[in-house]
Amino acid sequence: MSLKQGEFVGALDCGTTSSRFIIFDQYANIVAQHQQEFPQYYDHPGWHDHDADELTKVCDDCIEGGVKELAAQGYAKESIKVIGITNQRETTVAWSRSTGKPLCKAIVWDDSRTKHTVAIFEHKLRDVGIETPSGEIKKGEEGIDALRELTGLPLSTYFSAIKLRWMIDNYPNVKEAHEADDLLLGTVESWLVYTLTGGAKNGLHVTDVTNASRTLLMNLHTLEWAPQLLKFFDLRPSILPKIVSSSEIYGSLASGSLKGVKIAGLVGDQQGALVGNKCLKEGEAKCTYGTGAFLLFTTGADVVKSKNGLIGTVAYQASPNSKPVYALEGSISVAGSAIKWLRDSMGLIQSAGEVNDLAAKEKDSGGVYFVTAFSGLLAPYWDPGAGGLLIGLSSYTNPAHIARATLEANAFQTRAIIESMRLDSGVDLKHLKVDGGMTNGDLVMKILADLGGFDVVRPEMRESTALGSALLAGSAINLYGWDISKPETLEHVNTKGSTTFEPKMDEALREKMWRGWQKAITRSIGWEEDEDE
C-alpha cells in the first residue's frame, strides 16, 4: 500500500519527566504522536538529575514512534517538512568537546543542591561586586540591581550558570575539561540539537535566545553572552553555544527516519506555550501547570524591570533579523509534583486524576493551607530556604481537606504572581489562558478562578508547548504562510474552542482566604536560614 503525501510539522518536546514527538497539521490538529517517560535520579536530598544520553535515546525513540504512528494514519514520513524542539529550561548539561559524551549527569531545573554556591556568589556580589557594561564595579544592593539589569534574573539555584559552577567545583572531570578547553555547556535543547545533528562529528552547538535568557550569562538587551558575567562566574567563553533566534533553519537531522529534515524552531518550554497559546501581543498571558507552574505575560519590545519579584525574559525572537519580544515571568517550582507527592509519598490517592475527586468531597479545605515549598520558593518570594508547610491542621482535618489545600496552593501562588505583574505593568489581567497536565481537572480550574478572581480560559487542544515550537519551525520556512511576526497568519491555528471558568466565590471570602495564605507564607519563609550547610 502506498502512503499519502501530506504537509505536516513535527515538534519534539523534551519535558521534565517525559518526551513526546507530536505531528501537527496546519490547523494544529494532532495527526500522530508518541510519548515516553525517562528515569529521574534523586541521589541525595534536594538533588534531581537526568542522564543526558537517556534524554537523547528517548527523544530518538519518540521521533521513530511518531513516524510509525504517522504511517499507521496512512502518511509517508516525507510528509514531515520541518521540526521544532522545545525543552525543560535551565536543566544543565556538560559534555566533552572531543568525545561528544556527557561528563556527568545533567542537573535538573528544580534541583536545590546549589544553595551554598548561591551563597558564595551573593557574598561575592556584596564584597567584590560585578562589572557593568560601562566598566563600573557595583557592590551590595547596587550589585544585585546591576545583575538584574543585565540579565533580568536574581541569583538563584534555578539558573544554569550556578549549576555549571557547581559541576566545575564538585566534579574533577568537569573541572579538568574546563581547564583543558574540552568542555561544552548547554541547556537541553542545545544538547539535543548537538546530538541530533551528528554529535562529536559535526554536531551544532547552538542555543536559542529564550533558553540563553535563563542561564544568568546573557545580556538581556543585546542578546549576547556578557563578558562581565563570564568573569563573575569564572567561566571560559569557549564552552558556550552560539546564540540563535527562535525561528530559523539551524541544521538537519543526521540519522533516523527523518534524516535530512530541517530543525528550524527552538524555544524553552514556557515560551513555547506562550507562542502556542498565541499570546504574541503585549498584555497577553498564559500559565502552564506541569511539574511546576509558569506564568508568562508578554510585555512587547521593551524589557520591563520588575520591582515585585518577577523576572524579565525573552518571549521569542521571530527571526535572526527580528527584534526580540520580551515577557515578565513568575515561576512556581511545585504544581503537579505536589499531586505526585500526595500519590507516591503519602498514598492519599492512587492516580493523579483522583485528586479532583478526593478534593471534591469537601466544599473547603477546613482552614488548612499547604505551602508546597519542597525546594524553597521561587517567584515572587525567591527564598531557597523556605520550608514546605501544612498549617491549620486539627482533629477535624481529613485527606479531602489536604487534597483541596493542594489545589488551592496552586491558585494562591498563581494569584501572588499576577498581583506582582499588575504592580509591574499597571495592567489588570482579565483572563488567563492555561495549559498543562493539571488543567485537565475541572475542579482545579474552578478553584483557580475563584481564588484568583479572574476568568480562566482552557483550550480544547492543550499541547501548547509543542505547538509553539511547531509554529516557530513552520514560520522559518513559511509553511502554510505562517509568520510569527504577523499573528494574523495564525488565525486558523488551534481554534477548536475553549472552556472558560468564571469566579463564583464571594469577594469577602476570597480576600479572607488570601490573607490566610499570606500568613502561611510568612511561617514558611526563612525556615532553613540558620541551618548549617
Side-chain angles (χ1 to χ4, degrees):
M1 185 183 90
S2 63
L3 296 171
K4 293 179 286 188
Q5 285 295 332
E7 200 172 38
F8 306 127
V9 55
L12 181 62
D13 178 355
C14 185
T16 306
T17 58
S18 69
S19 290
R20 67 197 83 188
F21 185 62
I22 302 179
I23 300 160
F24 293 101
D25 70 9
Q26 69 190 78
Y27 306 110
N29 297 312
I30 294 173
V31 183
Q33 63 178 315
H34 185 82
Q35 182 170 354
Q36 201 172 312
E37 290 193 356
F38 48 80
Q40 310 293 314
Y41 298 95
Y42 304 99
D43 294 339
H44 303 282
W47 288 38
H48 186 186
D49 286 329
H50 288 155
D51 181 315
D53 281 333
E54 287 174 349
L55 294 185
T56 302
K57 184 180 183 310
V58 165
C59 286
D60 283 340
D61 290 349
C62 286
I63 290 172
E64 295 304 318
V67 169
K68 195 174 170 185
E69 173 63 23
L70 185 67
Q73 301 293 329
Y75 288 100
K77 64 184 181 182
E78 290 77 16
S79 302
I80 299 171
K81 303 303 179 188
V82 68
I83 75 162
I85 298 174
T86 184
N87 59 292
Q88 45 161 315
R89 304 169 307 168
E90 297 95 20
T91 296
T92 305
V93 188
W95 68 96
S96 161
R97 188 190 305 275
S98 53
T99 68
K101 289 288 172 192
L103 293 164
C104 58
K105 286 200 181 99
I107 300 181
V108 181
W109 61 271
D110 61 353
D111 180 287
S112 61
R113 80 186 72 172
T114 53
K115 288 176 191 173
H116 185 60
T117 308
V118 171
I120 289 169
F121 283 102
E122 283 173 344
H123 285 299
K124 185 174 181 179
L125 208 50
R126 191 181 66 217
D127 300 338
V128 180
I130 189 169
E131 190 181 336
T132 66
S134 64
E136 291 177 84
I137 301 293
K138 301 276 191 180
K139 298 181 184 179
E141 285 300 320
E142 285 190 342
I144 291 167
D145 286 345
L147 183 71
R148 281 242 182 183
E149 178 61 35
L150 200 51
T151 65
L153 312 174
L155 276 174
S156 165
T157 58
Y158 192 21
F159 304 112
S160 309
I162 296 286
K163 298 177 195 298
L164 175 66
R165 193 62 252 175
W166 189 94
M167 288 173 173
I168 293 170
D169 294 341
N170 289 275
Y171 293 132
N173 60 332
V174 179
K175 184 179 182 181
E176 285 162 22
H178 186 236
E179 288 172 357
D181 203 18
D182 186 44
L183 178 65
L184 295 180
L185 166 79
T187 39
V188 168
E189 93 298 349
S190 187
W191 166 248
L192 291 176
V193 170
Y194 177 80
T195 54
L196 291 170
T197 57
K201 297 176 187 169
N202 305 317
L204 293 168
H205 191 212
V206 298
T207 185
D208 95 290
V209 287
T210 66
N211 281 288
S213 75
R214 319 294 298 183
T215 59
L216 265 176
L217 297 172
M218 189 186 84
N219 183 322
L220 196 58
H221 308 273
T222 65
L223 307 187
E224 294 169 345
W225 299 122
Q228 302 85 359
L229 295 167
L230 288 163
K231 184 178 172 185
F232 181 71
F233 289 109
D234 194 16
L235 300 170
R236 285 174 175 268
S238 59
I239 66 177
L240 295 171
K242 178 188 175 188
I243 298 176
V244 293
S245 77
S246 315
S247 179
E248 61 180 276
I249 295 169
Y250 315 105
S252 304
L253 295 169
S255 60
S257 294
L258 297 184
K259 182 179 178 180
V261 172
K262 299 278 191 286
I263 303 169
L266 290 179
V267 66
D269 54 7
Q270 302 313 321
Q271 285 94 333
L274 191 76
V275 172
N277 275 302
K278 300 191 287 188
C279 294
L280 303 172
K281 295 175 183 167
E282 189 176 343
E284 295 179 323
K286 72 89 208 176
C287 193
T288 299
Y289 295 96
T291 303
F294 304 88
L295 202 154
L296 271 77
F297 177 92
T298 306
T299 56
D302 298 321
V303 179
V304 173
K305 191 177 172 189
S306 175
K307 296 186 174 75
N308 296 283
L310 303 179
I311 55 182
T313 197
V314 181
Y316 60 93
Q317 186 185 11
S319 73
N321 301 317
S322 302
K323 288 188 174 170
V325 173
Y326 292 98
L328 276 173
E329 175 171 341
S331 308
I332 300 164
S333 60
V334 174
S337 53
I339 295 170
K340 195 168 176 251
W341 179 79
L342 291 181
R343 182 192 71 192
D344 298 346
S345 300
M346 304 308 291
L348 291 185
I349 50 176
Q350 297 300 307
S351 68
E354 283 179 26
V355 72
N356 289 279
D357 297 333
L358 180 58
K361 288 181 179 176
E362 295 288 352
K363 65 181 190 308
D364 56 43
S365 64
V368 174
Y369 287 87
F370 186 6
V371 181
T372 52
F374 292 166
S375 51
L377 288 167
L378 297 180
Y381 311 106
W382 295 106
D383 182 12
L389 183 76
L390 264 170
I391 198 163
L393 299 172
S394 68
S395 55
Y396 170 70
T397 305
N398 64 43
H401 291 127
I402 292 170
R404 196 167 186 106
T406 307
L407 302 184
E408 289 180 354
N410 193 57
F412 286 129
Q413 290 185 85
T414 302
R415 173 167 171 176
I417 290 167
I418 285 170
E419 297 268 338
S420 294
M421 285 185 174
R422 184 175 56 76
L423 290 169
D424 281 335
S425 68
V427 176
D428 264 329
L429 191 76
K430 295 290 182 283
H431 67 264
L432 180 67
K433 291 184 179 178
V434 298
D435 57 34
M438 256 186 110
T439 64
N440 294 334
D442 285 2
L443 181 62
V444 70
M445 295 293 92
K446 288 171 183 168
I447 288 172
L448 178 58
D450 277 344
L451 294 180
F454 45 75
D455 288 357
V456 175
V457 180
R458 181 180 69 188
E460 193 175 312
M461 200 294 290
R462 295 195 280 284
E463 295 292 355
S464 310
T465 299
L467 177 58
S469 72
L471 292 174
L472 290 161
S475 178
I477 65 165
N478 197 34
L479 190 66
Y480 316 129
W482 288 350
D483 184 343
I484 290 293
S485 61
K486 296 176 182 168
E488 64 274 12
T489 65
L490 309 175
E491 64 180 340
H492 299 302
V493 173
N494 200 15
T495 56
K496 269 187 177 171
S498 58
T499 306
T500 300
F501 298 88
E502 297 173 355
K504 300 276 198 288
M505 182 178 278
D506 176 71
E507 179 69 24
L509 177 59
R510 179 186 300 127
E511 293 313 304
K512 182 185 175 189
M513 291 179 71
W514 175 237
R515 288 193 298 274
W517 170 258
Q518 291 170 306
K519 212 156 104 182
I521 282 286
T522 61
R523 305 290 199 277
S524 162
I525 281 173
W527 178 255
E528 292 181 14
E529 213 164 67
D530 303 321
E531 294 291 310
D532 292 325
E533 280 297 326

